[in-house]
């Protein structure tokens, strides 16, 4: 059984030859949008022209579409935050927390940022975007999307991260926070399942 | 497309199949039922090819199987034969920049699809490769087993049936027990397969597996939701393979394949190639895509890609 996979060879396929299958057509209304991702790679994508216009028409922009998601992965008992924070004076001071949340160590562009860049000082049960807009935790992807536009774009299409449910029906999106701890977002290594048994000598 | 070639008159097919089945019995892989065998054993021996079963015969065949499996496993087992959905051609995407080689897909597949535990059959193989060497399969390591994945300097390549549009395996089958369905899934009629294993030799991806012995699946681990062309318990001496979880995906609405659902990093994508809004179309049109052994012109519908 070993023989087979060793023979495998991967070869490059241009996007063009994907069209070989004769299944794929590019929408004629699509416009090209170019941008650079964080690693500096040029990304070119097709976008309906209407979408492009919308991006620049800040006044008439429709409200962001929200996506159905499972409940945010809070530690049990921590939410609602207002149980404690209501009546507590928000402390805008960048500091080492000592009385609470001592397990939270920022390892996420930490030099440039503090808790209240993301959490809303006025209402701890919500998040706050740079624009000042207040959003619920069930839309935290928009918070992340402010700086990770390329990932957010792929996420909405179901490419980065993951959708669950039905391929031809209703879907739910896992939040970025289901896979990445917002405070220390590097994906944590996991334990692999056992390797296959080595082939015994075949019956023949 | 290959359907047109299927022009052999049925009579010829049947007699040739019987001859071959006899031959196989000669080498001890399959045997003609013993004279004492029950009626249902004889019925299944003379059962028609799946595609030739009439509307009246099919429910009877399914009912006979349900009864047989339910008895064998001591719990209710259903066998369906849900046909393809019009306007659907399935495609699969796998993000090599995300996969961490954790093998959760391998085992989710085993339990969803009732693969034999002992002897062990895995429809999915994950191989480890070196980042520096790139896709060089002479470096492929199947048995990596570190404490944690991903490992520095490595990436991982899961391999399973590529559901080729131009499938070498179906062409070599002497009895047409394996074919491509309209939604692109390559299936096997286990009641028609004679176990000659030509298809295994023809498959360049090692994606077909042979039941040397009676599969052993603990009763409480059996998945009782089965499809005739998919995960129903297999008899000894036949070839089996990935069907994109035909029992789950061919529904309205249809779930994702088990390997896709389990993937903790979201590296696996699945959908309808004919739907411009599907994630599979998006990745083909917007990401760097690879096909395994593209030079063989097998035209896989399994697309490896780089998400970032």
């Amino acid at each position: 059984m070993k023989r087979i996979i060793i023979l495998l060879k991967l070869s490059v396929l241009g996007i063009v030859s994907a069209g070989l299958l004769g299944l794929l057509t590019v929408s004629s209304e699509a416009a090209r949008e170019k941008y650079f991702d964080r690693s500096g790679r040029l990304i070119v994508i097709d976008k309906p022209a209407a979408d492009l216009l919308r991006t620049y028409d800040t006044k008439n922009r429709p409200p962001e579409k929200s996506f159905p998601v499972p409940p945010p992965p809070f530690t049990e008992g921590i939410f609602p935050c207002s149980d404690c924070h209501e009546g507590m004076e928000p402390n805008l001071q960048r500091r080492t927390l000592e009385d609470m949340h001592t397990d939270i160590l920022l390892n996420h562009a930490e030099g440039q940022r503090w808790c209240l860049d993301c959490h809303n000082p006025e209402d701890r049960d919500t998040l706050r975007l740079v624009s000042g807009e207040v959003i619920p935790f069930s839309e935290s992807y928009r918070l992340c999307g402010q700086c990770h536009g390329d990932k957010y774009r792929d996420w909405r299409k179901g490419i980065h991260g993951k959708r669950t449910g039905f391929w031809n029906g209703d879907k739910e999106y896992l939040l970025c926070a289901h896979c990445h701890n917002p405070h220390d977002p590097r994906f944590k290594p996991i334990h692999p399942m056992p390797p296959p048994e080595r082939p015994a000598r075949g019956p023949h | 497309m290959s359907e047109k070639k299927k022009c052999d008159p049925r009579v010829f097919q049947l007699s040739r199949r019987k001859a071959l089945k006899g031959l196989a019995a000669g080498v001890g892989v399959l045997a003609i039922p013993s004279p004492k065998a029950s009626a249902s054993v004889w019925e299944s021996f003379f059962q028609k090819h799946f595609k030739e079963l009439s509307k009246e015969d099919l429910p009877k065949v399914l009912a006979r199987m349900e009864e047989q499996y339910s008895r064998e496993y001591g719990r209710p087992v259903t066998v369906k034969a849900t046909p393809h959905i019009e306007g659907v051609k399935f495609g699969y995407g796998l993000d090599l920049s995300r996969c961490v080689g954790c093998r959760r897909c391998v085992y989710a597949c085993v339990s969803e699809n009732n693969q034999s535990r002992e002897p062990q059959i895995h429809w999915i193989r994950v191989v480890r490769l070196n980042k520096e060497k790139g896709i060089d399969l002479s470096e492929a390591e199947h048995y990596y087993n570190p404490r944690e994945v991903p490992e520095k300097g490595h990436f991982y390549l899961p391999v399973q049936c590529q559901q080729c549009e131009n499938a070498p395996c179906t062409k070599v089958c002497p009895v047409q027990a394996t074919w491509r369905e309209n939604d692109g899934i390559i299936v096997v009629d286990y009641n028609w397969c004679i176990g000659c294993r030509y298809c295994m030799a023809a498959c360049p991806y090692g994606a077909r597996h042979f039941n040397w012995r009676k599969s052993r699946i603990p009763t409480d681990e059996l998945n009782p939701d089965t499809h005739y062309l998919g995960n129903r318990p297999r008899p000894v001496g036949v070839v089996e393979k990935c069907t994109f979880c035909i029992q789950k995906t061919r529904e309205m609405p249809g779930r994702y394949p088990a390997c896709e659902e389990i993937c903790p990093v979201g590296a696996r994508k699945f959908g309808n190639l004919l739907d411009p809004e599907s994630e599979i179309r998006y990745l083909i049109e917007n990401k760097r895509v690879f096909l395994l052994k593209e030079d063989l012109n097998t035209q896989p519908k399994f697309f490896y890609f780089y998400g970032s």
Side-chain angles (χ1 to χ4, degrees):
Chain A
M1 216 157 271
K2 198 165 44 184
R3 102 201 107 89
I4 24 91
I5 293 176
I6 294 183
L7 291 175
L8 300 182
K9 205 183 89 210
L10 201 71
S11 48
V12 189
L13 171 86
I15 285 163
V16 192
S17 52
L20 258 181
L21 284 177
L23 305 164
L24 315 166
T25 47
V26 179
S27 153
S28 57
E29 281 168 46
R32 304 232 132 203
E33 190 188 58
K34 295 183 182 167
Y35 67 98
F36 293 92
D37 72 3
R38 281 198 304 119
S39 61
R41 200 161 60 87
L42 176 67
I43 313 281
V44 182
I45 63 148
D46 286 317
K47 230 184 156 190
D51 257 22
L52 276 182
L53 290 175
R54 217 174 278 144
T55 310
Y56 299 108
D57 181 7
T58 49
K59 266 207 205 102
N60 297 314
R61 190 159 45 189
E64 284 267 357
K65 184 178 164 207
S66 77
F67 299 87
V69 298
F74 286 119
T75 309
E76 231 182 87
I78 196 94
F79 196 85
C81 319
S82 50
D83 279 356
C84 296
H85 280 277
E86 203 162 36
M88 249 175 81
E89 199 53 39
N91 185 341
L92 304 183
Q93 193 65 42
R94 182 186 289 264
R95 66 198 193 279
T96 308
L97 299 182
E98 277 157 6
D99 299 339
M100 186 62 200
H101 312 313
T102 48
D103 54 327
I104 296 180
L105 295 173
L106 287 188
N107 181 19
H108 188 185
E110 63 280 7
Q112 310 146 33
R113 203 159 10 175
W114 180 239
C115 318
L116 300 176
D117 293 340
C118 299
H119 293 284
N120 179 6
E122 261 101 67
D123 172 7
R124 215 48 69 92
D125 293 341
T126 59
L127 296 164
R128 197 177 62 178
L129 303 182
V130 174
S131 66
E133 190 185 346
V134 171
I135 59 167
F137 279 98
S138 57
E139 289 177 23
S140 58
Y141 47 84
R142 291 177 60 198
L143 178 76
C144 316
Q146 299 178 116
C147 301
H148 302 292
D150 56 333
K151 288 287 173 298
Y152 180 37
R153 188 188 310 268
D154 282 352
W155 178 86
R156 285 180 305 200
K157 295 286 183 186
I159 301 298
H160 188 79
K162 132 174 213 167
R163 300 196 286 200
T164 59
F166 302 97
W167 66 266
N168 55 354
D170 292 344
K171 296 176 182 65
E172 259 187 2
Y173 289 69
L174 289 191
L175 291 166
C176 318
H178 283 112
C179 298
H180 300 290
N181 177 343
H183 310 127
D184 181 10
R186 203 173 67 83
F187 195 85
K188 303 297 172 289
I190 53 179
H191 187 64
M193 303 273 284
E197 288 160 8
R198 287 178 192 268
R201 304 195 54 205
H204 288 290
Chain B
M1 283 168 218
S2 67
E3 254 59 71
K4 263 187 266 133
K5 289 202 317 284
K6 242 202 90 203
C7 53
D8 314 39
R10 189 178 300 179
V11 186
F12 172 64
Q13 261 187 48
L14 266 172
S15 56
R16 184 167 55 160
R17 172 176 179 259
K18 271 196 207 148
L20 283 160
K21 205 159 185 173
L23 233 155
V27 297
V29 176
L30 264 175
I32 295 176
S34 87
K36 277 176 288 177
S38 72
S40 84
V41 171
W42 279 102
E43 257 172 50
S44 69
F45 187 70
F46 286 115
Q47 183 193 309
K48 281 189 185 158
H49 188 284
F50 178 77
K51 289 207 277 190
E52 287 157 6
L53 285 170
S54 68
K55 278 210 171 60
E56 294 75 48
D57 285 348
L58 184 58
K60 284 187 217 149
V61 167
L62 298 179
R64 188 189 74 223
M65 283 180 180
E66 289 183 342
E67 196 205 306
Q68 181 200 328
Y69 297 143
S70 301
R71 198 166 354 97
E72 194 175 325
Y73 287 94
R75 52 187 287 216
V77 176
T78 57
V79 183
K80 59 194 170 189
T82 323
H84 73 275
I85 303 166
E86 247 2 281
V88 171
K89 211 173 241 309
F90 288 124
Y92 205 106
L94 202 147
D95 188 347
L96 292 181
S97 55
R98 289 282 98 75
C99 177
V100 294
C102 71
R103 295 198 189 94
R104 294 199 175 24
C105 50
V106 174
Y107 293 90
C109 175
V110 165
S111 57
E112 171 65 35
N113 290 295
N114 294 323
Q115 272 129 268
S116 175
R117 315 298 205 265
E118 167 54 46
Q120 184 184 69
I121 293 183
H122 285 175
W123 290 355
I124 304 176
R125 266 286 162 134
V126 187
V127 299
R128 187 183 73 187
L129 297 167
N130 290 328
K131 274 193 177 150
E132 264 177 29
K133 303 244 168 99
I135 315 260
D136 172 359
L137 286 136
S138 64
E139 301 278 325
E141 169 60 51
H142 297 219
Y143 306 105
Y144 64 91
N145 194 22
R147 209 168 49 80
E148 284 184 335
V149 286
E151 302 157 272
K152 257 216 165 66
H154 290 108
F155 69 102
Y156 305 85
L157 178 79
V159 183
Q160 63 208 75
C161 175
Q162 311 277 304
Q163 316 289 358
C164 306
E165 196 64 15
N166 184 22
C169 54
T170 60
K171 290 184 200 157
V172 298
C173 180
V175 294
Q176 283 141 39
T178 182
W179 64 91
R180 196 185 67 249
E181 293 265 288
N182 283 346
D183 51 13
I185 304 178
I186 310 268
V187 295
V188 180
D189 182 346
Y190 312 120
N191 282 45
W192 205 251
C193 172
I194 56 170
C196 71
R197 294 177 286 134
Y198 288 180
C199 57
M200 289 173 65
C203 174
Y205 307 104
R208 290 177 162 261
H209 306 271
F210 188 64
N211 287 271
W212 287 104
R213 278 179 274 149
K214 177 84 190 107
S215 61
R216 253 187 270 152
I217 305 164
T219 291
D220 57 335
E221 288 179 23
L222 185 86
N223 175 6
D225 173 24
T226 77
H227 193 288
Y228 183 101
L229 299 171
N231 61 337
R232 68 180 163 104
R234 274 77 74 186
V236 73
V238 302
V239 169
E240 60 179 62
K241 59 178 287 298
C242 158
T243 64
F244 281 166
C245 285
I246 197 167
Q247 67 280 2
K248 286 171 71 129
T249 51
R250 257 192 197 178
E251 299 287 332
M252 297 283 265
R255 305 253 311 273
Y256 286 100
C259 50
E260 202 271 10
E261 286 187 342
I262 197 85
C263 182
V265 295
R268 289 172 167 273
K269 306 296 163 192
F270 175 81
N272 181 4
L273 288 166
L274 303 180
D275 172 7
E277 294 301 313
S278 66
E279 52 241 58
I280 187 76
R281 276 287 288 278
Y282 180 84
L283 74 88
I284 290 172
E285 288 165 19
N286 294 289
K287 298 293 179 187
R288 210 147 51 90
V289 177
F290 295 81
L291 295 179
L292 271 184
K293 296 200 103 185
E294 193 204 359
D295 48 337
L296 294 181
N297 195 30
T298 49
Q299 297 170 24
K301 283 195 275 335
F302 200 99
F303 302 86
Y304 294 92
F305 71 102
Y306 287 102
S308 58

